[in-house]
Amino acid sequence: MSTYLIIGSSSSFGGALSKKLSKSNVVISVSRKKSNLKEKNLKHITVDDYSEQSFLKVIDEIKMIESLLVVFLNGISEGSAFYKITNREINKVFHVNTFVPLTLTRDIINARIGKETKYIYASSSRGIKGDKGIVIYSASKNAMIGAVKSLTKEYSKFSQEFYIFSLGLFSEGLANTLPEKVVSEIISSTPIPKLVSENDFFEVLDLLSKSSSMAGSIIKIDYGYA
């Protein structure tokens, strides 16, 4: 039985993943919203924000766990064309997609140095590749690739491992919010025209819980999207 820390669990996908993982693992879910999930192996922690002070309650919960998998699900994209985007919106996208994962990673490393910890950052194959209309989102997600490469080289000797999940279009939520034309374009660029589900995510997480052979990797879960 593994222990998972799910950060940003309030989305429909985060809730579905937490519920599924808790069937055979211990799950600690964290978000700024309260959770209605009542699963036996699931504990939810509501934080005011992701500042160092607010996150202390989470650190206290995880610092003595011998082996932990941390999953970051935080993510937003810009809502404006690049030439119209404000500094405030740029800062918000980078704050959620880059700064929050990195500052929380720093805090967790400080608390768990020497204890087996695997960090998984949910990203986007479309964002990593780059596409029209997602300049800032793409930049923020590609920034995490450089961070994971550096973190792996610096902290793997202290039992800290880092991974990026490069995800295709998700069936839970995102596929229902994008314009139909964009969804069709993404599916048409996918050799196996399927939407990614929480089960696909779960299966790769399960593999990582048993192996360290892919440390530092960008792991594609996108049915061949290119």
Side-chain angles (χ1 to χ4, degrees):
M1 181 179 284
S2 300
T3 301
Y4 288 88
L5 175 65
I6 310 294
I7 297 174
S9 62
S10 61
S11 66
S12 57
F13 171 71
L17 180 65
S18 297
K19 187 173 181 178
K20 189 172 187 67
L21 284 170
S22 67
K23 290 180 180 179
S24 53
N25 303 278
V26 174
V27 174
I28 304 165
S29 67
V30 180
S31 72
R32 288 181 293 177
K33 296 179 181 178
K34 293 182 179 180
S35 172
N36 294 322
L37 295 177
K38 304 295 182 183
E39 314 308 309
K40 180 180 178 182
N41 295 323
L42 189 150
K43 177 175 182 177
H44 183 76
I45 300 175
T46 304
V47 294
D48 295 329
D49 52 39
Y50 289 110
S51 65
E52 186 175 2
Q53 184 62 37
S54 185
F55 202 67
L56 281 176
K57 63 179 81 172
V58 180
I59 294 296
D60 287 342
E61 187 72 29
I62 65 171
K63 62 184 178 182
M64 299 308 295
I65 297 171
E66 201 58 38
S67 179
L68 180 70
L69 291 91
V70 185
V71 182
F72 291 90
L73 297 179
N74 315 64
I76 60 168
S77 185
E78 62 262 44
S80 308
F82 179 70
Y83 74 98
K84 290 183 175 180
I85 199 167
T86 64
N87 288 349
R88 182 176 182 180
E89 190 171 3
I90 292 172
N91 289 337
K92 183 177 180 180
V93 173
F94 268 94
H95 177 76
V96 173
N97 294 348
T98 309
F99 301 151
V100 165
L102 287 178
T103 55
L104 297 187
T105 295
R106 174 203 62 195
D107 296 342
I108 296 169
I109 289 174
N110 271 323
R112 293 187 50 79
I113 198 81
K115 290 186 172 63
E116 183 178 301
T117 314
K118 300 185 179 187
Y119 304 80
I120 297 100
Y121 307 93
S123 190
S124 158
S125 292
R126 180 172 173 247
I128 290 172
K129 176 186 174 184
D131 202 353
K132 295 179 291 185
I134 54 169
V135 173
I136 304 304
Y137 177 76
S138 181
S140 67
K141 289 300 186 180
N142 276 283
M144 289 303 300
I145 294 176
V148 162
K149 289 178 179 178
S150 293
L151 286 165
T152 298
K153 290 177 180 178
E154 190 169 356
Y155 291 99
S156 58
K157 61 185 176 182
F158 301 111
S159 300
Q160 311 294 294
E161 298 175 15
F162 306 88
Y163 305 83
I164 286 178
F165 280 9
S166 180
L167 307 172
L169 188 60
F170 256 98
S171 57
E172 288 80 16
L174 187 57
N176 299 317
T177 61
L178 289 174
E180 187 175 335
K181 182 181 178 181
V182 175
V183 173
S184 296
E185 288 174 353
I186 293 172
I187 293 298
S188 66
S189 298
T190 306
I192 302 174
K194 293 179 67 175
L195 298 175
V196 177
S197 71
E198 82 270 2
N199 192 59
D200 297 314
F201 199 102
F202 170 79
E203 288 176 349
V204 181
L205 279 178
D206 187 53
L207 175 62
L208 283 188
S209 72
K210 302 168 184 173
S211 173
S212 297
S213 62
M214 293 179 283
S217 296
I218 301 171
I219 301 171
K220 298 192 73 176
I221 312 173
D222 60 8
Y223 291 101
Y225 174 80

